[in-house]
Amino acid sequence: MEEKKRVMGFWRTWGLSIGMMVGSGVFMLPTVLAPFGKYALLSWLVTGGGTVALAFSLAYMARRVTVSGGPYAYTRAGFGDFTGFLMAWGYWVSVWVSVAAVTVAFIGYLAEFFPTLRSSPNASLACGLALIWGLVIINCRSVRGSSALQLITSLAKFLPLLFLALFGLVSVESANYAGMIEPQSPLSATAAASALAMWAFIGFEVCTIPAGEVQDPARTIPRATMAGVLAVVVLYFAVTMAAFGLLPAEQLMQSTAPLADAASALVGPMGATIVALIALVATGSGVNANVFAVGQMPMAAALDGLFPSPFGKLTRYGTPAISFIIGGVLASISLALNFVDGLIVAFEFLILLATITAILPVAMSAASAWLFAVRDPSASKVGHLRDTVVAAIGFAYAVWVIAGSGRDSVYWALLLLLAGVPIYVWVTAQRRVQASLKET
C-alpha cells in the first residue's frame, strides 16, 4: 500500500521544481535587470552560485531526512519542534498567498486572448476562482494526476523558452550589447541585480516537500533538486542574454513584455502571441505547484503533531483534502482582496512578506545542513569540508538575500511568524490533553 503512494519519479519531481521556479517572473526579468547593464549578466553568476549552494544543502538534507515536509522537516531535524513549526507556518502562509498572486498573473495573460477580463473584475475573479478550485480538486483526487499535469506544463513552458534563448543568441545584434548601460558602482549594481534575480528562483525547494510521495526520496529528491536549479540557471542566463542582444537597452527598459518584444524581433508579430501562450502555461503551472505545496506542507507538520490534526487527515486517495481545501479558501480570499479597490497595496505587501517567509525556511535548511555536516561529518575529509563549506555559503547567501529585502519587510515578516505562536501553544496543549486521556 505504501509503495502505491510513491508515484513521483525523477521527472515528475523535477517538473514540480521547474514549475514553481519558471513562473511569471522570468517574463519580466530582462526589463528589471536592464538598468544594471553587463552587471546584470554577472549577477546571474552570483545568484546561480548562491542558489546552487542552497540546492546542495537541501539535497544534503534530503538524503538524511526522507520524510515529507522539505524545509520544515529539515529545520525541525536540526533545531527542534518550535523552530520547525515557525518555518512551516511561515512557508504555508507564503504558499497560499502565492497561489493568489500567480493566479492574478495568469488572469493578466489570459486577458490577452479574452479582453473582457480587463474590464470586468467579476469575470476576472470568477476565472481565477475556477482555476484555483479546479486545481484543488485535481490535487485532492490524485497525486499522480497532479504531478503528471505539472510535468506536462513544465515541459510546455521550459522548451519554448529554451528555443527562444538558443535561437535568440544566434540572432543578436552585437551593437545592443555595446549600448548596454554602465552603472557607476559595479559592486552595488551586481549586488542589487543579484537580489532581484533571486526572486525568480524562489520555489526550487518545493520538490523536497512531498518526500512521502517520491520513489526512493533519498536519491530522487537530491538529483531532481540539483537538476532543476542548474537547468533554470542556464535557462535564465540564456534568456536574459538573448533579450539583451535582440533589443536595444532603451527599448528593453521601457518594455512591459520584454520576452514578447524579443520574440517579435526574432520571428515577427506572431512571436508576441507565442510568448503570451507560454506565459499562460507558465503561470497556470505555477498555480498548480503552489496548490500542491499548500496541501503537502501543513500535512507533514500535522502528522508530526505541530499543526492542527485536520491538516493531516488523508482521503481514500491518500491525499490531504482538508489541507488543500483550507489553503484554497485562504488563497481565494486573497484573490478576492486583489479586486477590491483600496486593498491592492495591502495585497502587494502580502506578496512581499510571502517572499521573505519562503526564503527563511530555506535559510534554516542550509543552517541544518551546516549543523549536520559539523555534528555528523563525512568519513572523507574532502567530503566533510565540501559539505560544511557549501552549507555555510548557502546559509550566508540566504541571509544576504533576506537583508536585501529591506528593514520593513523583515520587521513585518517577524511579526507574521510570531502570529503563529498561539497556534503552536494551542496544538501543544491539545497534544498533552490527548496524551493524558490515553494514559487514563
Side-chain angles (χ1 to χ4, degrees):
M1 184 69 177
E2 178 67 20
E3 289 301 316
K4 290 182 180 180
K5 291 174 61 178
R6 297 181 180 270
V7 297
M8 295 178 64
F10 170 82
W11 285 110
R12 293 190 183 197
T13 309
W14 176 86
L16 182 61
S17 180
I18 293 292
M20 198 75 152
M21 282 187 283
V22 184
S24 57
V26 65
F27 294 92
M28 285 303 296
L29 269 176
T31 293
V32 173
L33 296 177
F36 301 101
K38 62 184 180 183
Y39 298 106
L41 302 178
L42 178 60
S43 73
W44 282 118
L45 299 178
V46 177
T47 308
T51 306
V52 167
L54 288 171
F56 181 88
S57 298
L58 291 181
Y60 176 90
M61 292 302 296
R63 288 191 290 269
R64 287 155 179 78
V65 181
T66 57
V67 297
S68 295
Y72 146 73
Y74 306 154
T75 300
R76 180 172 180 254
F79 299 102
D81 285 355
F82 180 61
T83 307
F85 166 80
L86 286 179
M87 296 303 101
W89 171 265
Y91 193 85
W92 177 63
V93 171
S94 76
V95 174
W96 57 257
V97 171
S98 295
V99 170
V102 183
T103 299
V104 171
F106 174 87
I107 295 170
Y109 287 114
L110 189 63
E112 293 294 322
F113 303 96
F114 299 98
T116 304
L117 294 176
R118 290 197 184 97
S119 57
S120 175
N122 290 335
S124 297
L125 179 59
C127 177
L129 292 175
L131 174 65
I132 291 173
W133 286 100
L135 293 174
V136 166
I137 291 171
I138 291 174
N139 279 274
C140 285
R141 179 63 177 80
S142 170
V143 172
R144 183 186 297 274
S146 174
S147 59
L149 174 65
Q150 193 59 53
L151 177 59
I152 293 170
T153 53
S154 293
L155 290 174
K157 63 185 176 182
F158 186 86
L159 295 178
L161 286 174
L162 186 60
F163 173 86
L164 173 64
L166 294 178
F167 282 86
L169 287 174
V170 300
S171 305
V172 298
E173 295 287 342
S174 57
N176 290 333
Y177 290 126
M180 292 170 68
I181 293 173
E182 292 285 344
Q184 293 182 348
S185 175
L187 182 60
S188 62
T190 303
S194 298
L196 288 170
M198 181 61 201
W199 307 140
F201 286 98
I202 291 174
F204 73 90
E205 74 288 341
V206 72
C207 70
T208 67
I209 293 175
E213 308 288 352
V214 177
Q215 300 165 4
D216 190 8
R219 183 168 178 266
T220 301
I221 290 177
R223 290 172 59 225
T225 301
M226 293 301 298
V229 168
L230 290 173
V232 170
V233 167
V234 173
L235 177 68
Y236 283 173
F237 183 82
V239 165
T240 305
M241 280 284 292
F244 278 22
L246 288 169
L247 301 173
E250 294 77 12
Q251 180 183 350
L252 194 58
M253 286 190 294
Q254 297 177 1
S255 175
T256 57
L259 293 195
D261 291 342
S264 295
L266 182 63
V267 298
M270 182 60 69
T273 301
I274 294 173
V275 167
L277 285 171
I278 298 172
L280 201 58
V281 174
T283 50
S285 175
V287 175
N288 184 59
N290 278 285
V291 167
F292 186 82
V294 88
Q296 291 286 331
M297 169 64 81
M299 177 200 71
L303 293 177
D304 289 333
L306 297 182
F307 251 55
S309 58
F311 285 92
K313 290 184 179 179
L314 302 180
T315 66
R316 62 191 178 95
Y317 304 113
T319 60
I322 294 177
S323 187
F324 282 124
I325 291 171
I326 292 173
V329 169
L330 293 171
S332 298
I333 293 172
S334 294
L335 181 67
L337 292 180
N338 187 67
F339 293 98
V340 178
D341 291 338
L343 291 179
I344 294 179
V345 173
F347 183 73
E348 291 176 349
F349 185 66
L350 281 176
I351 295 174
L352 184 57
L353 287 180
T355 300
I356 297 175
T357 50
I359 295 174
L360 276 170
V362 176
M364 293 305 296
S365 296
S368 291
W370 190 2
L371 179 63
F372 270 63
V374 172
R375 190 172 61 190
D376 186 21
S378 171
S380 165
K381 289 185 177 181
V382 174
H384 171 56
L385 180 63
R386 177 201 61 209
D387 297 340
T388 304
V389 171
V390 174
I393 291 173
F395 177 72
Y397 178 73
V399 171
W400 179 71
V401 171
I402 293 170
S405 301
R407 294 180 185 177
D408 290 345
S409 301
V410 175
Y411 168 77
W412 285 105
L414 175 61
L415 291 183
L416 180 62
L417 289 177
L418 292 177
V421 172
I423 302 297
Y424 179 80
V425 172
W426 179 75
V427 170
T428 302
Q430 290 294 108
R431 271 193 311 182
R432 290 189 176 182
V433 170
Q434 292 173 0
S436 298
L437 292 175
K438 287 181 180 179
E439 290 177 359
T440 57

